[in-house]
Amino acid sequence: MPSLPNDPLWSWAFPGEGRLGKLERLWRLFVDNALRYPWTFTTANYEAASAWIPPGGTELSPGGEA
C-alpha cells in the first residue's frame, strides 16, 4: 500500500507503518454504519463523501458498537 503524505490530522493517532490500513478500517466502520441512513452522498468518482446522521440518530449501530 502506498504511504500517506504528511497528515497533521491523523498521523499522531496512527503513526508509522500500516497507517493507511488502520485508517481504512476506522473510516469503513463509520461509513458502513452511516449507510443505514438515506443521506450518504459521494462525488461522481468517489473522491469525497459525506454522511449525514439525523437528529437523534447514532453514528454506530448496536452491531457497530460491538
Side-chain angles (χ1 to χ4, degrees):
M1 271 191 179
S3 63
L4 293 174
N6 183 18
D7 179 0
L9 185 61
W10 287 102
S11 60
W12 67 271
F14 299 105
E17 291 295 317
R19 180 166 39 131
L20 187 58
K22 293 172 188 173
L23 282 169
E24 181 180 351
R25 287 190 297 277
L26 173 72
W27 288 112
R28 185 172 302 278
L29 171 70
F30 286 108
V31 171
D32 285 350
N33 278 269
L35 289 174
R36 70 187 193 275
Y37 300 114
W39 304 287
T40 301
F41 307 96
T42 66
T43 56
N45 294 314
Y46 302 101
E47 302 92 350
S50 76
W52 292 85
I53 308 300
T58 59
E59 287 188 50
L60 298 176
S61 67
E65 287 184 15

